[in-house]
Amino acid sequence: MPHVLALDQGTTSSRAIVFDESGAVVAMAQREFEQIFPHPGWVEHDPLEIWESQLAVAREALAKADLPASELAALGIANQRETTVVWDRVTGSPVGNAIVWQDRRTADDCDRLKHEGLEPLFRERTGLVLDPYFSGTKLAWILDHTPGARHQTERLAFGTVDSWLIWNLTGGKDGGLHATDITNASRTLLCDLQTGDWSEELLAALRIPREVLPEVRSSSEVYGETVPGLLGARVPIAGVAGDQQAALFGQACLSPGMVKNTYGTGCFLLMNTGDRPIRSRHELLTTPAWRTAERTAYALEGSVFVAGAVVQWLRDGLGLIRSSSEIEALAASVPDSGGIVLVPAFTGLGAPHWDPYARGALVGITRGTTAAHLARAALEAIAYQVADVLSAMEADSGVPVAELRVDGGATANDLLMQLQADLAGVPVVRPRVQETTALGAAYLAGLATGVWQSTDEISARWQIERTFEPALDPARAAELRARWNRAVERAKAWEEAG
């Protein structure tokens, strides 16, 4: 039976999972790595630690599976998107730490570009908003703040984490491949959505020399092979996608109108929009979902900045719970939130608001408010934010959402999943295989190497574990969402009041 190794390089850990031909998990390994916070609002990773941890868990997963690398049909990569690495092609060493997608150091640079009237250009070309979340201004910052960098760009290479892994897996300074896929390229503020390649106009706006950029390739093709000394044999690298696009593929959302949401520290919703990019009128992102030999699929994306992080805040900041798993029982001990609304805009609001200056708000407190009410309001806040993005997706696409496929750690919380179904008014569907990000990377790699013959075959393998049907009266749901919207406006008014 053929097997595929998926590397799932995330924001806080590197993981590797071996899948068999049925899409089942055979073995898994995971290793966390250091989060570096040199200044307020700055977040960095050590690229060498990313590489070393990813290689270590790949070897560990193969050992757990008792599977030699020579029996792998392919290797797929899913990665944290927008995180920016620059390295020296000659020495193989990074020029400094990676700047992580959460990093806000280039906010002033984005404001300057907006003041110069360039935001409409970036929106039109890339489908993105002009925000420090994306890689382009991070890359410009590294070139500007690394001594001598702009005078030796011919020996420098830029990449998101997928590129850094591909380069090292295929030989590094001894002939490594410098490439990325379309989903990762599209998150840089440098890639033209129509052509699927780097835009000279955008490169000029950010003063980025083209020579530092990787080749843009599809998400499902053989890029090259790993060098034998790393895993014990040459393995084709055949699938590459940013983590959220990989999860969309792993959830088998392969037809227009299908939507998935990943519940993590934040939430990331993607809707498959088919063969055409839909320009959002509601502050969503337009992005390639994947590119295969046959076609390019596109998606609408909405990012919620704080989801699981609000539960962490109740645990670490307020001490209301000792572990995140306790929140479900605490929230379920009351029938509702007692009239309070929590807006967890701890780092501003993402889609569909994109308000970096909004701050958290807790509205409606009375003497009768308890810890249980606050816990329930926190879960409701996650569900409200997701419902807002779903509504924006329906408005942009003109397609009613039939169901929401979900993955991520918080999907184990049955109360949250039921609240989500109630407030969004759509069935919430939890799959049997929760490792959808890694599975998507494996599927993309297996399609390119003949493990799976078609997307129809992949769709047939997706299985439901449980469906949560809406049980709340739609009129009551509308009342609750109207109350939520009033609270959001108060959170957004914080800067004006302050």
Side-chain angles (χ1 to χ4, degrees):
M1 177 182 288
H3 292 78
V4 178
L5 173 65
L7 306 185
D8 182 3
Q9 204 299 300
T11 307
T12 59
S13 69
S14 296
R15 301 196 306 157
I17 302 178
V18 177
F19 292 95
D20 65 18
E21 189 178 11
S22 72
V25 174
V26 176
M28 178 191 309
Q30 180 170 351
R31 182 175 298 187
E32 294 186 357
F33 53 86
E34 184 182 8
Q35 307 295 303
I36 303 168
F37 307 100
H39 300 287
W42 292 28
V43 188
E44 297 179 353
H45 293 158
D46 179 350
L48 293 176
E49 189 179 10
I50 287 176
W51 162 238
E52 290 163 1
S53 63
Q54 190 65 78
L55 178 60
V57 294
R59 290 169 170 168
E60 183 181 345
L62 289 173
K64 286 182 175 180
D66 193 22
L67 186 74
S70 59
E71 294 186 17
L72 288 173
L75 180 152
I77 298 172
N79 59 284
Q80 53 165 317
R81 305 172 302 174
E82 298 97 17
T83 294
T84 301
V85 187
V86 177
W87 64 93
D88 188 314
R89 301 173 194 263
V90 177
T91 66
S93 299
V95 302
N97 283 335
I99 302 180
V100 179
W101 59 271
Q102 300 158 314
D103 191 284
R104 307 299 292 176
R105 76 185 66 181
T106 62
D108 289 344
D109 298 319
C110 291
D111 287 342
R112 175 181 54 78
L113 291 166
K114 291 175 185 177
H115 292 150
E116 292 174 2
L118 292 174
E119 185 169 26
L121 171 66
F122 280 94
R123 280 181 178 265
E124 173 62 27
R125 294 287 188 276
T126 68
L128 309 176
V129 296
L130 192 50
D131 190 88
Y133 176 35
F134 304 105
S135 310
T137 56
K138 294 178 172 66
L139 171 56
W141 190 96
I142 291 173
L143 294 177
D144 287 337
H145 291 82
T146 302
R150 286 204 174 272
H151 300 294
Q152 54 177 356
T153 53
E154 73 284 350
R155 62 183 286 168
L156 297 181
F158 151 76
T160 43
V161 171
D162 59 307
S163 294
W164 172 239
L165 295 178
I166 292 167
W167 192 77
N168 281 289
L169 286 166
T170 56
K173 65 180 181 179
D174 299 319
L177 175 66
H178 188 206
T180 190
D181 95 298
I182 185 61
T183 67
N184 283 291
S186 71
R187 313 295 291 195
T188 62
L189 286 171
L190 303 173
C191 185
D192 189 305
L193 197 62
Q194 296 294 334
T195 67
D197 203 356
W198 307 117
S199 162
E200 296 295 341
E201 197 172 8
L202 299 179
L203 293 178
L206 289 177
R207 298 175 56 240
I208 303 297
R210 190 181 181 102
E211 60 197 349
V212 307
L213 301 176
E215 176 189 2
V216 181
R217 299 175 69 166
S218 74
S219 311
S220 181
E221 66 172 271
V222 176
Y223 280 57
E225 295 181 325
T226 63
V227 291
L230 295 177
L231 300 176
R234 295 186 179 276
V235 181
I237 302 169
V240 181
D243 51 9
Q244 300 309 321
Q245 285 94 334
L248 187 71
F249 202 84
Q251 283 276 35
C253 293
L254 304 175
S255 300
M258 298 184 73
V259 183
K260 75 89 192 175
N261 183 39
T262 298
Y263 295 81
T265 301
C267 280
F268 297 90
L269 288 84
L270 274 77
M271 171 188 273
N272 185 328
T273 62
D275 295 334
R276 64 186 181 95
I278 293 177
R279 301 290 179 171
S280 177
R281 295 172 286 108
H282 298 86
E283 300 299 317
L284 302 179
L285 306 179
T286 306
T287 189
W290 53 78
R291 181 195 292 166
T292 64
E294 292 78 25
R295 58 190 281 262
T296 299
Y298 294 90
L300 284 169
E301 177 175 336
S303 302
V304 172
F305 291 161
V306 175
V310 72
V311 179
Q312 295 170 342
W313 174 66
L314 295 182
R315 182 193 66 196
D316 302 334
L318 300 186
L320 294 186
I321 51 177
R322 289 169 297 179
S323 66
S324 297
S325 61
E326 294 177 6
I327 192 171
E328 182 174 7
L330 181 60
S333 68
V334 290
D336 53 46
S337 66
I340 68 170
V341 178
L342 172 62
V343 183
F346 304 149
T347 56
L349 289 168
H353 309 283
W354 289 104
D355 186 343
Y357 303 108
R359 287 297 176 264
L362 183 57
V363 182
I365 303 173
T366 69
R367 284 285 298 271
T369 299
T370 67
H373 292 125
L374 184 54
R376 193 170 184 107
L379 295 184
E380 289 177 353
I382 299 172
Y384 280 129
Q385 292 178 99
V386 171
D388 284 350
V389 176
L390 277 176
S391 294
M393 286 180 168
E394 288 182 325
D396 276 338
S397 67
V399 178
V401 173
E403 66 179 21
L404 176 64
R405 296 187 174 186
V406 297
D407 55 78
T411 59
N413 187 321
D414 289 350
L415 175 58
L416 173 59
M417 295 297 97
Q418 187 59 54
L419 288 169
Q420 188 67 81
D422 290 343
L423 293 172
V426 298
V428 170
V429 184
R430 188 167 62 195
R432 287 194 177 180
V433 177
Q434 282 285 298
E435 302 297 340
T436 54
T437 299
L439 182 58
Y443 277 152
L444 289 165
L447 275 177
T449 53
V451 177
W452 298 286
Q453 301 301 315
S454 68
T455 54
D456 288 341
E457 183 180 352
I458 288 170
S459 292
R461 294 185 183 280
W462 186 84
Q463 293 181 306
I464 297 173
E465 186 266 323
R466 180 173 174 183
T467 298
F468 297 83
E469 296 286 349
L472 187 65
D473 178 70
R476 178 56 178 161
E479 291 174 2
L480 293 173
R481 291 186 63 179
R483 186 173 68 185
W484 159 259
N485 289 330
R486 292 194 296 273
V488 168
E489 290 307 311
R490 296 195 178 196
K492 292 168 71 173
W494 171 254
E495 186 197 16
E496 298 172 17

